[in-house]
Amino acid sequence: MIHIQNTLPKKPELLAPGGDIEKLKTAVEYGADAVYVGGEGFNLRMGAPDITLEEINEATTWIHNRGKKIYITLNIFARNYHIRSIRPYLEKLAEIPVDAVIISDPGIFFMVREIAPHIPIHLSTQANTTNGKSVEFWYQQGIQRIILARELTLGEIQEITENSRAETEVFIHGAMCMSYSGRCLLSSFMTNRHANLGDCSHACRWQYTLKEEKRPNETYPIVEDESGTFILSSRDLCMIQHIPELVRAGITAWKIEGRMKSQYYAAVVTRIYREALDRYFADPDNYIYDERWLSELEKVSHREYGTGFFFGNQGYNSQTTHPGNSYIKEYDYLGTVHNVLSEDTAEVLVKNRISGNTSVEIMGKRLNEDFSQVLMDIRNEQNEPIETANAGQKVLVKVSRPVRKYFMLRKYG
């Protein structure tokens, strides 16, 4: 009798947000296979620190030396003035060996093909690709990878992936948008900040009340709660408890949202999905979910977690935050190990105020490297004892166990 073995899909690429140079390096140090960063003025995160062409060149060399990849986001819905200004940018970008650009606008797509035909192109989730025929259309135009719409179920994603010649990518963690794959006009109407040009004010996450025309001085909560309502505010996506289902869908790349989030966020989220992914592929038949993974993801600033549309539209309560619930932030990010001076001394770049005699957690690049201790001795760069250190300072601290560069310090509350 011939035994037919079910083949395991190829291990997906873990793609993390870059933001600036340090965040980009942090994501790679904590396990990302690739990073995505914003092209100056042409991406959908105007509030994020864009990375210059010189920095992209530097980062590309650094990343390629480590066998990783870098993608540049150029995914605004362009106006005429963008089209005029993007040409010189693309001409310079074409000289840098980046691994792909991410676009959503057909006009920018044509310009990339004209000016930098050697650069692979990925189609942004903003293009709202929801079916296999659309995937095939874009593939025939020369698009290598499709970042699928966030509204698809796992079943739909698997069907598309199994029948597609293009690579596929999906978001598996991070902020969600109440509008269709992010194509929102609410911010433009209310604040003149255009979400589709990268300047969203997140008006959907404000608290709203109801006014009746003849009672202009009276307001009524849309949901009867003293804290108002977040009727338009979506939960954050978190798929850490569903690694096997994601693997079986055959997706090429798993994407973590968060170019406007902190270096600490990139580290925590990337290392947890890295560990879960590696554990699954090491022994799929005996894979066991680790409850510590979700606990760790709770230690970054986030909204209530949910699974988005992966398991279908499960209704209002599964997609929106409850009234009164805003961002959950129980841990403070204190700093990053900038240099290791000896087995028991580290130089730390301070991100938030650090005081002596404080209980802290020191977070490694893997869960088994974490440990807790009290910071008994803090010294400035001149090796003089100090009681507190503020953001931007470099300080020397004694550590109870060996640490490595990019390890992080945090504390509860």
Side-chain angles (χ1 to χ4, degrees), residues 33-294:
D33 297 310
V35 294
Y36 61 104
V37 299
E40 295 172 88
F42 305 110
N43 72 94
L44 286 180
R45 289 295 182 272
M46 195 176 291
D50 281 349
I51 188 168
T52 66
L53 282 164
E54 291 76 16
E55 289 173 325
I56 288 174
N57 191 31
E58 174 195 336
T60 300
T61 300
W62 188 91
I63 284 172
H64 286 173
N65 285 340
R66 287 155 180 79
K68 310 297 182 181
K69 295 181 178 181
I70 181 170
Y71 308 138
I72 312 301
T73 56
L74 305 173
N75 60 341
I76 60 168
F77 286 102
R79 303 289 182 88
N80 284 333
Y81 63 88
H82 292 116
I83 294 296
R84 287 190 291 269
S85 61
I86 199 172
R87 177 174 288 276
Y89 182 86
L90 286 173
E91 288 171 347
K92 293 177 182 177
L93 185 64
E95 299 173 2
I96 304 171
V98 298
D99 296 286
V101 294
I102 303 170
I103 62 94
S104 55
D105 185 278
I108 293 180
F109 166 69
F110 280 133
M111 294 193 72
V112 173
R113 291 294 302 274
E114 173 196 347
I115 297 166
H118 59 286
I119 300 180
I121 302 174
H122 297 176
L123 187 69
S124 172
T125 191
Q126 293 287 123
N128 309 140
T129 308
T130 57
N131 64 78
K133 284 295 183 184
S134 292
V135 170
E136 181 64 20
F137 166 80
W138 285 114
Y139 180 78
Q140 289 186 21
Q141 309 314 306
I143 299 286
Q144 182 186 86
R145 178 183 295 181
I146 310 296
I147 306 168
L148 296 172
R150 301 181 191 220
E151 293 74 25
L152 294 178
T153 66
L154 266 175
E156 291 172 313
I157 291 168
Q158 183 169 351
E159 182 180 358
I160 289 171
T161 300
E162 288 176 348
N163 294 284
S164 171
R165 293 184 289 171
E167 297 178 355
T168 56
E169 178 178 308
V170 299
F171 282 92
I172 50 96
H173 191 95
M176 295 282 282
C177 181
M178 291 302 291
S179 295
Y180 205 87
S181 282
R183 299 182 74 164
C184 177
L185 293 176
L186 188 63
S187 178
S188 298
F189 287 138
M190 299 186 73
T191 65
N192 201 32
R193 288 173 54 182
H194 301 273
N196 298 311
L197 294 178
D199 196 25
C200 184
S201 64
H202 302 289
C204 60
R205 298 187 173 187
W206 300 347
Q207 294 191 39
Y208 290 90
T209 55
L210 182 68
K211 277 192 176 184
E212 197 276 323
E213 181 181 8
K214 295 182 180 180
R215 297 175 177 81
N217 296 321
E218 298 180 38
T219 59
Y220 304 89
I222 296 176
V223 176
E224 294 293 330
D225 185 281
E226 68 276 5
S227 300
T229 181
F230 289 88
I231 192 169
L232 299 175
S233 181
S234 58
R235 296 187 183 193
D236 280 1
L237 177 65
C238 178
M239 288 293 287
I240 193 61
Q241 294 172 293
H242 303 283
I243 299 299
E245 296 98 313
L246 283 170
V247 170
R248 286 194 290 270
I251 305 155
T252 307
W254 295 2
K255 191 171 194 173
I256 298 167
E257 183 276 339
R259 278 191 292 126
M260 294 182 69
K261 302 285 182 68
S262 70
Q263 183 180 355
Y264 169 67
Y265 172 94
V268 172
V269 178
T270 301
R271 78 165 183 159
I272 293 303
Y273 280 95
R274 174 82 277 152
E275 181 164 318
L277 191 54
D278 288 349
R279 181 179 294 184
Y280 181 85
F281 274 84
D283 189 357
D285 293 335
N286 297 300
Y287 170 81
I288 298 175
Y289 166 74
D290 190 334
E291 292 183 358
R292 294 180 301 167
W293 294 337
L294 183 57

